[in-house]
Amino acid sequence: MPRIALIPGDGIGVEVVREARRVLEFIAEAEGADFELVDWDLGADRFLRDGITITDEEFNALDQDHDAVLLGALGDPRVPSNQHAKDILLGMRFKLDLYVNFRPCVLLSPSLSPLASAPALRLEIFRENTEGEYTGMGGAMRVDTPAEVAIEENIATRLGVERIVRAAFEYADTRGRSRVTLVDKANVMRFVGGLWRRVFEEVASEYPHIEADAMYVDAMAMDLVRRPERYQVLVASNLFGDIISDLAAEITGGLGMAPSANIHPGRNALFEPVHGSAPDIAGQEKANPIGAIRCVALMMDHFGLRAAGERIESSVVTCFENGQTTEDLGGSLSTTEAATAIIDHVRSAYAEHG
Ligand code: NAD
Ligand code: IPM
Ligand code: MN
């Protein structure tokens, strides 16, 4: 029986996880799958209340006693240091060694894109999730003086680079994608960039039927707007993957729609929408629940229930085409109403096809 930890977190995270939970409950019933949903109180409220972000016991329990985690978002104006988000979200990515951050940005309908002419787009980003500028290695001295020094190291290991590049090629190979593109800044970052380029070429040579190329990240930002249809699977370091995934999300329907999966293949998985806690709209029932609901689709895929995931995805398309959406997509539904519309279409799909 899969045990799934639900961490609503902060702001709209609470609203969208509440809706994703209803989708999970419906799929469990329709598939006859016995999901145990376990609520976790982690986020700014808990930190402000108890002074604790997350304990080692909690990391262990999330890792060992659960098959998957769904997280809404972390980030709260009352915690300007963002300490709890770093401890909990980056903590899970690092301590659970979830080295693949898979961010599929799939354009479900041409009118969802802000691009003037939107071709079919399926941009699947493999973001390295345990290294780069995110390790916290660095320091500062003479803070708040004119002589302040700050260092934030960029870490790349052969093991770390190779496993994410391999995950990207393996995915392309098994899912029939014909191109993998490395996104880097090897023209400036000679050491880290050089390692990525060499490893990329080595792994690519094992997949001669897959076209492999590389783009500098600045040129990629431009090209994702100019001719995004050229790209399929993208592989990037932690920071570059973070940045291009927001861009890719925006050209395929906006932040409210993009899901992500943080995975250590064969071990654990943490699903989270790409968006944050959106303090500007939190508590107003304006949040688009689709990013979180598509996380459920990714989770079903992860559990081997691919047809359930596809039904969720196609129900999202139907709702968009019917105008059953929240305001960010031009509709007038509340968060709950938008989720209910999606669940109704999923229900019809099960009623029709069994
Ligand atoms: P954000 O994604 O929260 O919001 C950016 C903009 O997109 C806002 O205008 C917001 O209203 C809109 N938006 C985001 N999600 C939406 C949705 N589901 N429906 C409708 N509109 C949506 O990014 P931000 O403002 O840069 O960050 C806010 C906080 O969230 C910060 O504390 C940040 O660190 C945190 N954050 C957390 C995560 C995470 O936990 N995974 C991810 C990104 C940002
Ligand atoms: C994301 C977010 C996080 C990141 C922040 C909130 C730590 O932007 O998941 O994309 O930078 O990875
Ligand atoms: Mn981000």
Side-chain angles (χ1 to χ4, degrees), residues 136-157:
M137 286 182 76
M141 59 196 272
R142 302 194 286 261
V143 174
D144 274 339
T145 75
E148 178 162 351
V149 178
I151 296 175
E152 205 88 55
E153 297 288 0
N154 181 6
I155 309 299
T157 67

Side-chain angles (χ1 to χ4, degrees), residues 143-195:
V143 174
D144 274 339
T145 75
E148 178 162 351
V149 178
I151 296 175
E152 205 88 55
E153 297 288 0
N154 181 6
I155 309 299
T157 67
R158 175 166 268 277
L159 182 146
V161 173
E162 186 174 339
R163 63 186 184 174
I164 187 71
V165 169
R166 200 168 280 290
F169 276 97
E170 204 45 42
Y171 179 88
D173 193 30
T174 52
R175 303 280 176 127
R177 311 289 189 258
S178 57
R179 181 194 292 252
V180 177
T181 305
L182 170 66
V183 184
D184 68 7
K185 190 73 187 172
N187 50 344
V188 176
M189 297 183 182
R190 280 194 301 134
F191 308 115
V192 166
L195 173 61

Side-chain angles (χ1 to χ4, degrees), residues 74 82 85 89-90 93 103 127 134 238 242 246 272 274:
L74 293 164
N82 214 22
L89 179 58
L90 299 185
R93 289 179 185 167
R103 299 191 152 182
R127 169 187 176 188
Y134 275 67
N238 209 337
D242 181 43
D246 270 29
E272 44 156 349
V274 175

Side-chain angles (χ1 to χ4, degrees), residues 288-290 315-327 329-334 337-342 344-345:
N288 185 347
I290 291 178
S315 300
V316 168
V317 179
T318 309
C319 285
F320 175 72
E321 285 169 352
N322 291 348
Q324 296 170 291
T325 67
T326 44
E327 277 174 33
L329 297 183
S332 58
L333 299 187
S334 69
E337 288 165 344
T340 300
I342 294 169
D344 285 345
H345 288 295

